[in-house]
Amino acid sequence: CDLGNIEKVIQIDFSWVKGMSDDFDYHYYDYGSESRIDYNSSLFFHIPSGPSFARIILVVLLRAGFVLIHIGSVPVNNVNLILLQNIVDFCWVTIVYFLLGTVIAYNGDVNGVVAEGYWIGDVIVDKDEAIIGWSAVVIAAAICTCGIVGRTHTIGYLVTGFLLAGFLQPFLIHWIWTPEGWMREYTLDGRDVKFLDYAGSAIVHLVGGLSGFIGCAILGRRILRLNTIDDASVGSSSPGTVFAGQFLVFIGLQSLSIPNDNIVKHNINMKLRCNIYINNLLAASSCSLLVVAFHFVFVTEEFNHWTVMRCVQAIVSGLVVISAGADNYSPLKAICLGSAGSIVFFLVSRQVFHSALEDYCNIIAIHLVSSVLGSLLVPLFNISDTEEIVLGLTHFSWHLICLITTIAMVSIVMFIAFASLEFFGVLRNRTEYLNHLRANIAAERSGERPFLQRLFRLRNQDIFLQPGSMPNPDQQLAV
């Protein structure tokens, strides 16, 4: 029998069992699997279980880790503003998701696009499922704030949080994480294909990283660039703060790997279930270890604050790379994926470091690029023999289609949101407005260049001074 439908039937037909007698007990036997469901259990009445409580604790630890990263990475004086905006964002996203997002994401299906509209307080709503979605939206919102932290007006946090938790992610959750979603299972070229996203590679990391990147790009530059910040300008406590924050984020991301036991038959290969946390550790370790080696071998500069931070950030990047298929990989494949992710992470991090993007928390390399790479590689790494090559390529094509759809959807919505905030003058806070104004004046004095050239190919002679730095005598001072 279909246990999902059985649950709904019994919710209606046998709800009178509750309250009759503690000695009155109903059971249903699934003779195909010889398993028994106790309708006095949490499965029947949708009471949140122990794993859900663990999820909540891990997500709260993760948000605390992101606060430490913000404080240690972003060169702003008003730490209280960062703390206030983080707690506002956390609470706002939680309320929006449970009141609106769950209506779209879970409980029923309409043509594989949207749920049937059950409110979170309805007895039919699976609370464990709802908390899984909550962890996804809270983590994605935290990633997004890394790109705009300390720079955006509080209204900007409210608008972006509403769009992520109430619109974008609930639709993606329904499309990818529910059995009826159109992305999850589809027929392409006469073959059944699936979009694999076990631990939120697309739903969490891609959405959060891309939203933060768009916000960072629209905010534009201030006076400082990452590669012009001298070590003397970095507080002595910043490296330790960021180090602790990244490890808390790594621990918190394990919440996305906890399977939902109520719907485990839909989501995971039980034979490989025991490998999930081993895979996370191996991928993270191999990615970080290789990034350290790359800095020793290919980078001639001394280890400073930014290079050490990249080595720590690679731990999270390795976890993101395998998040799409952590339940399907063997430990050896996890090491290979972590190693491949280290190369991409290293190259992208170096490029962003020398660009005009003020990505102080390095979310583009950690979350955006690593999630895209992981989603593209997961169908190819699941090919076991020559007979599955054609099917693997078909799966790859489907993953590519779904990724393009997700990127286009997030890009359009978030670009319109940030551009509208900029147009109405509520994108930047006061300090950011003054810094941006100074940067524009400095850029005008140094000569106008196309946007992409300013973003990706800065000239060496454009030096921006800040306390604690000294210009290179071989370079001509422009500003």
Side-chain angles (χ1 to χ4, degrees), residues 151-436:
R151 308 180 63 184
T152 309
H153 196 282
T154 304
I155 294 178
Y157 278 86
L158 297 178
V159 171
T160 55
F162 178 84
L163 291 174
L164 288 175
F167 178 72
L168 285 173
Q169 285 184 276
F171 274 106
L172 291 174
I173 288 172
H174 187 79
W175 296 349
I176 299 172
W177 275 355
T178 62
E180 302 88 358
W182 69 270
M183 282 188 181
R184 183 177 181 83
E185 294 186 3
Y186 194 77
T187 302
L188 183 66
D189 194 23
R191 298 181 176 87
D192 294 332
V193 292
K194 294 182 179 181
F195 184 76
L196 303 176
D197 190 16
Y198 173 73
S201 178
I203 294 175
V204 178
H205 300 286
L206 174 59
V207 173
L210 182 57
S211 300
F213 167 71
I214 294 172
C216 186
I218 292 181
L219 280 166
R221 65 174 303 163
R222 291 180 287 185
I223 295 178
L224 301 179
R225 290 203 319 259
L226 290 180
N227 63 339
T228 59
I229 297 179
D230 190 82
D231 280 350
S233 300
V234 179
S236 58
S237 62
S238 293
T241 302
V242 178
F243 185 87
Q246 291 291 353
F247 269 92
L248 283 177
V249 169
F250 175 80
I251 294 172
L253 286 176
Q254 306 304 318
S255 63
L256 296 173
S257 297
I258 300 175
N260 182 5
D261 291 333
N262 293 358
I263 56 172
V264 72
K265 65 183 188 305
H266 294 301
N267 288 342
I268 189 170
N269 184 339
M270 295 297 294
K271 294 181 180 179
L272 297 177
R273 180 178 178 180
C274 58
N275 289 338
I276 294 175
Y277 301 108
I278 300 297
N279 291 342
N280 290 345
L281 292 171
L282 289 175
S285 300
S286 59
C287 183
S288 180
L289 195 61
L290 284 176
V291 170
V292 174
F294 294 155
H295 279 98
F296 272 112
V297 175
F298 300 109
V299 180
T300 57
E301 64 186 10
E302 296 182 358
F303 271 79
N304 55 29
H305 171 77
W306 301 105
T307 54
V308 173
M309 287 306 101
R310 280 198 291 272
C311 298
V312 179
Q313 292 161 355
I315 295 176
V316 179
S317 178
L319 184 62
V320 174
V321 168
I322 70 161
S323 59
D327 58 323
N328 284 323
Y329 295 138
S330 64
L332 181 59
K333 289 182 179 179
I335 294 176
C336 293
L337 272 168
S339 303
S342 67
I343 300 173
V344 176
F345 170 80
F346 176 77
L347 295 176
V348 174
S349 295
R350 294 284 299 172
Q351 181 65 48
V352 172
F353 182 71
H354 292 283
S355 75
L357 277 172
E358 294 200 21
D359 184 14
Y360 294 104
C361 303
N362 205 14
I363 62 166
I364 295 174
I366 299 174
H367 299 281
L368 177 56
V369 176
S370 296
S371 63
V372 173
L373 176 66
S375 293
L376 290 176
L377 292 181
V378 61
L380 301 180
F381 269 70
N382 281 328
I383 298 175
S384 58
D385 51 50
T386 55
E387 295 181 358
E388 294 185 357
I389 292 179
V390 176
L391 181 60
L393 294 177
T394 306
H395 277 286
F396 175 82
S397 301
W398 180 239
H399 268 252
L400 187 60
I401 293 171
C402 293
L403 281 176
I404 293 174
T405 303
T406 302
I407 291 173
M409 178 180 173
V410 175
S411 299
I412 293 172
V413 173
M414 299 309 294
F415 179 82
I416 293 175
F418 282 113
S420 300
L421 291 171
E422 173 79 347
F423 177 79
F424 290 107
V426 290
L427 177 63
R428 311 171 193 277
N429 57 40
R430 179 173 176 80
T431 303
E432 167 61 21
Y433 174 78
L434 294 176
N435 286 330
H436 185 66

Side-chain angles (χ1 to χ4, degrees), residues 63 84-97 100 141 144-145 148 152-167 414 417-418 421 426-427:
R63 287 303 301 238
L84 177 63
Q85 290 184 334
N86 268 277
I87 191 62
V88 169
D89 178 71
F90 177 86
C91 297
W92 174 245
V93 165
T94 298
I95 292 174
V96 170
Y97 168 74
L100 179 59
C144 177
T145 59
I148 59 178
T152 309
H153 196 282
T154 304
I155 294 178
Y157 278 86
L158 297 178
V159 171
T160 55
F162 178 84
L163 291 174
L164 288 175
F167 178 72
M414 299 309 294
F418 282 113
L421 291 171
V426 290
L427 177 63

Side-chain angles (χ1 to χ4, degrees), residues 8 103-118 171 173-176 178-183:
K8 294 181 180 179
V103 176
I104 298 173
Y106 291 116
N107 306 298
D109 172 69
V110 179
N111 298 323
V113 177
V114 68
E116 293 180 357
Y118 290 98
F171 274 106
I173 288 172
H174 187 79
W175 296 349
I176 299 172
T178 62
E180 302 88 358
W182 69 270
M183 282 188 181

